Amino acid sequence: MYLRQVAANLSRRTLFLTQTINTSYHGIPPNSLPMKAKISDKYGSGNSGSRINQRDSYLWTIVAGQAAIILGMYANPAFAHASTESSTETELGGADKIGLRKIEDGSIISNIHTKKWRIFTDSGREYFLQGKLDQAEKFFISAIEEAKEGFGNRDPHVASACNNLAELHRVRKAFEKAEPLYLEAINILEESFGPEDIRVGAAFHNLGLFHLVRRKLEEARKCYERALKIKRRVLGLGHTDYADTMYHLGTVLYLQGKEKDAEALVQDSIQILEEAGQGESATCIRRLRYLSQMYLRSNRLPEAENVQRRILHVMELSKGWDSLETVIAAERLAQTLQAAGSLKEARELLGRCLNIQKRILPEDHSKICATMLQIARVAILNANRLREAHISEATAELDNARDLLYNSVRVARQVLNRLRNQYSSSQKNGASQEIRREGHATLILLLQSLDTLGHLAITKQELQDSMEEHLSTIEAENALLQCIAAYKEFKTEKIISVSPEVKMEYVSCLKCLSSLIGDDAIKERELHNLHDEIKHIESEISGFKKR
């Protein structure tokens, strides 16, 4: 009974949490995505209603990251690039980036006001890109003042400067300051160039992202649809800037529950990039990842697998196998293969990833810990398959999984101890936030490894004789007690953020231990304390979700 329960739990609990786990395959040609013959102007079909909940949290992170467009107004309506691509990519543990693209002023006339406005704008942009927002704000405000003094209150230079400052406020989440500036920029541009000008479309795209970040999906949808209409007329259906707005509109529709329309838009935006020779670009890879997540959320594993093979093929050709990006793409594919029941291939991919990680990463790296945990889970699932006909092979699989879990626990503890030692000195150079992120992910890996070790020991009872069953119970209890001790040890550490995810892993350990104690009357008081602790932690998790 336990073995089947564990197998079911492991199938559900894939490690999307630590985006460090993902897996790879060599030499698989990309599968083509279906291309929709026509994109409807009407997006009303599909499921209705907004669906921003836990189900979409991963997708939300991808589309609502910090990205910005810097508008500089040209008198010439045929201006350059004006699109934004969300660049929140947290798989490698890095901070969110701010992507800026600037539309320069193409005016032939140059005077002192133009030069000063450009200096203020460029300086603000550079500070913005560096994350020095206080300095950037001063220059953007100066650019607004200079534009108004030199060109008048309703000049496109003012609109450009207003948009820049609005983007800065958006990144700072000062939304009440940002929205009036966006609207003023749009009004000035419509007055200057007409409501169908491409610069107006770019400004509506910016406003759409602003509403998307605030989770005002209907407002975001209207802005993106307006921007898409303008870009389609001016730029054409095959322009990558048109595809950019198409993709963002697709993300909004998906979050609104309109999966079919969203899927068509995302697919078509990818194909436009490919036809423009950008199929291997970081932008295209991000969109393919988003599409694979859409498939996974709807349990369409074959489609998700095809897209992930395609991503891996591109990464393999462009980055090579000694790249963490390729390893991550491979691990993602392995997770999907595991969920689809292709355990042999999943294990081969994970084994290859682990070998590469050991070669290119320090031995005390959390990614190594995560991959060993994932391989152990695949081994346990395989043991469940073998249990009916091949008991000895199933036992060997469990023993192999146990060794991997011991090593995973060892590496996780090494990482946490290293981070603990680094924390004090890191506060001086500003790296403490990165350490906290790694500490948070590693603690979850440690708890998961110990919890899985406890479940593994329990499952061996079904495959062993009575004398060894007692030893397995002791081993399981020891692992779970270590899990509980690890939580209590590290929850007060400054390198850890005790999030609901951490508490959920802790509760899992508590529940497994309480099932071991069962009807043992001698440990009745201990069991009562465990149940009280479970209720207490679950109430904390529930309270957090209601915020």
Side-chain angles (χ1 to χ4, degrees):
M1 180 182 71
Y2 271 117
L3 194 55
R4 292 188 178 91
Q5 290 175 344
V6 170
N9 288 337
L10 291 177
S11 295
R12 288 193 296 267
R13 294 176 59 193
T14 50
L15 290 177
F16 284 110
L17 153 86
T18 65
Q19 287 124 7
T20 56
I21 297 192
N22 304 318
T23 315
S24 90
Y25 190 73
H26 180 75
I28 296 296
N31 294 287
S32 59
L33 289 172
M35 174 67 176
K36 302 300 179 184
K38 182 178 178 182
I39 302 169
S40 173
D41 291 331
K42 196 78 173 174
Y43 304 106
S45 62
N47 301 326
S48 61
S50 175
R51 191 170 35 181
I52 307 173
N53 53 33
Q54 204 170 13
R55 167 189 174 281
D56 301 310
S57 60
Y58 179 85
L59 299 179
W60 186 269
T61 302
I62 294 176
V63 301
Q66 295 179 347
I69 310 167
I70 295 300
L71 287 177
M73 291 306 121
Y74 265 92
N76 182 352
F79 69 95
H81 207 55
S83 68
T84 193
E85 176 68 41
S86 176
S87 58
T88 301
E89 288 294 306
T90 57
E91 299 93 354
L92 301 179
D96 295 347
K97 307 298 181 187
I98 300 171
L100 300 179
R101 297 189 181 117
K102 185 171 67 169
I103 306 164
E104 291 290 353
D105 188 322
S107 174
I108 297 175
I109 300 174
S110 179
N111 55 37
I112 186 63
H113 296 295
T114 303
K115 292 178 180 177
K116 290 176 70 174
W117 173 85
R118 191 182 301 278
I119 290 171
F120 291 143
T121 298
D122 289 348
S123 298
R125 177 177 181 270
E126 290 304 315
Y127 280 121
F128 192 100
L129 285 167
Q130 296 170 20
K132 299 177 180 179
L133 301 187
D134 289 338
Q135 296 93 321
E137 181 176 5
K138 293 176 182 178
F139 280 106
F140 286 156
I141 291 174
S142 296
I144 293 176
E145 294 171 350
E146 186 61 35
K148 288 182 177 180
E149 181 180 346
F151 307 107
N153 290 344
R154 309 302 292 173
D155 186 86
H157 290 82
V158 177
S160 172
C162 286
N163 183 86
N164 292 345
L165 186 58
E167 288 288 277
L168 184 145
H169 287 319
R170 177 181 64 78
V171 169
R172 279 183 159 173
K173 302 189 185 303
F175 299 131
E176 70 289 346
K177 295 181 180 179
E179 187 168 14
L181 291 166
Y182 282 119
L183 296 175
E184 184 176 0
I186 289 173
N187 290 335
I188 293 172
L189 293 174
E190 287 182 328
E191 291 175 10
S192 301
F193 304 112
E196 298 301 312
D197 186 83
I198 190 64
R199 284 156 288 204
V200 176
F204 270 109
H205 182 109
N206 287 353
L207 184 59
L209 181 59
F210 168 75
H211 288 310
L212 177 56
V213 170
R214 298 175 70 198
R215 304 196 176 193
K216 292 191 173 183
L217 297 183
E218 189 59 23
E219 290 90 336
R221 180 188 65 80
K222 291 176 181 178
C223 289
Y224 283 134
E225 287 185 343
R226 175 74 181 276
L228 194 66
K229 180 181 178 182
I230 294 171
K231 290 183 178 183
R232 179 169 54 215
R233 183 184 65 81
V234 177
L235 301 176
L237 296 176
H239 199 284
T240 57
D241 210 42
Y242 172 72
D244 185 28
T245 298
M246 179 189 295
Y247 168 73
H248 279 76
L249 177 59
T251 63
V252 171
L253 293 178
Y254 184 80
L255 292 168
Q256 287 185 312
K258 301 172 183 177
E259 285 98 340
K260 290 184 179 180
D261 292 324
E263 185 181 312
L265 288 169
V266 173
Q267 287 177 346
D268 289 349
S269 77
I270 291 169
Q271 183 150 344
I272 290 171
L273 286 184
E274 291 176 333
E275 291 175 351
Q278 299 182 25
E280 297 183 4
S281 66
T283 295
C284 191
I285 294 299
R286 281 195 293 270
R287 294 180 189 180
L288 285 167
R289 285 174 182 159
Y290 189 88
L291 181 62
S292 73
Q293 289 297 322
M294 292 170 68
Y295 289 142
L296 288 172
R297 300 295 175 180
S298 57
N299 201 35
R300 294 162 63 185
L301 298 180
E303 290 95 328
E305 179 185 332
N306 286 341
V307 175
Q308 289 170 349
R309 288 189 188 279
R310 185 175 181 176
I311 293 170
L312 178 58
H313 182 71
V314 172
M315 301 305 297
E316 187 179 5
L317 293 177
S318 60
K319 302 286 187 180
W321 272 98
D322 283 347
S323 165
L324 280 179
E325 293 177 74
T326 304
V327 170
I328 287 170
E331 288 180 328
R332 283 201 175 106
L333 174 57
Q335 288 178 348
T336 301
L337 290 169
Q338 175 186 330
S342 301
L343 300 183
K344 181 179 179 181
E345 186 179 356
R347 186 165 183 171
E348 290 173 354
L349 287 167
L350 288 166
R352 181 170 189 176
C353 290
L354 182 60
N355 290 335
I356 294 169
Q357 289 170 338
K358 287 181 176 179
R359 189 170 68 247
I360 67 177
L361 293 174
E363 62 179 11
D364 61 340
H365 200 288
S366 57
K367 288 183 174 62
I368 294 175
C369 166
T371 304
M372 288 191 292
L373 170 58
Q374 189 71 355
I375 297 174
R377 286 177 163 175
V378 173
I380 293 171
L381 290 172
N382 195 43
N384 186 50
R385 284 186 175 180
L386 296 169
R387 65 189 300 270
E388 299 297 338
H390 305 283
I391 298 295
S392 61
E393 292 181 30
T395 302
E397 280 285 73
L398 292 177
D399 289 340
N400 182 47
R402 182 187 58 193
D403 292 341
L404 285 163
L405 291 170
Y406 281 149
N407 283 322
S408 178
V409 169
R410 174 182 56 79
V411 173
R413 288 192 178 278
Q414 287 177 346
V415 173
L416 289 169
N417 289 331
R418 169 174 57 80
L419 294 175
R420 179 189 278 161
N421 294 334
Q422 288 177 351
Y423 185 80
S424 297
S425 59
S426 71
Q427 288 179 300
K428 300 176 183 177
N429 57 32
S432 57
Q433 190 61 36
E434 183 177 344
I435 288 175
R436 284 172 62 85
R437 278 195 297 269
E438 186 178 0
H440 173 262
T442 306
L443 178 58
I444 292 178
L445 289 170
L446 175 60
L447 298 180
Q448 287 179 338
S449 297
L450 289 167
D451 185 37
T452 306
L453 191 58
H455 281 85
L456 182 151
I458 294 172
T459 63
K460 289 191 71 174
Q461 294 179 6
E462 296 187 357
L463 303 176
Q464 296 173 327
D465 58 40
S466 58
M467 188 173 78
E468 290 179 319
E469 284 182 10
H470 179 66
L471 296 176
S472 294
T473 302
I474 295 174
E475 187 177 358
E477 187 170 336
N478 286 339
L480 295 167
L481 288 172
Q482 285 184 57
C483 182
I484 294 169
Y487 172 82
K488 292 181 178 180
E489 176 186 355
F490 287 102
K491 72 174 183 178
T492 58
E493 291 281 347
K494 293 182 179 180
I495 62 169
I496 299 299
S497 171
V498 185
S499 66
E501 291 81 9
V502 172
K503 292 180 179 181
M504 287 170 66
E505 298 301 333
Y506 175 53
V507 166
S508 178
C509 291
L510 292 172
K511 288 182 175 179
C512 187
L513 182 59
S514 67
S515 70
L516 271 181
I517 295 174
D519 299 327
D520 191 337
I522 298 176
K523 297 184 178 181
E524 184 177 350
R525 181 174 180 80
E526 182 180 344
L527 184 62
H528 179 74
N529 291 337
L530 281 174
H531 288 162
D532 286 346
E533 179 73 352
I534 290 169
K535 290 179 182 179
H536 173 68
I537 299 298
E538 285 183 334
S539 67
E540 289 183 352
I541 296 172
S542 177
F544 183 88
K545 289 179 179 179
K546 291 177 181 178
R547 292 178 190 173

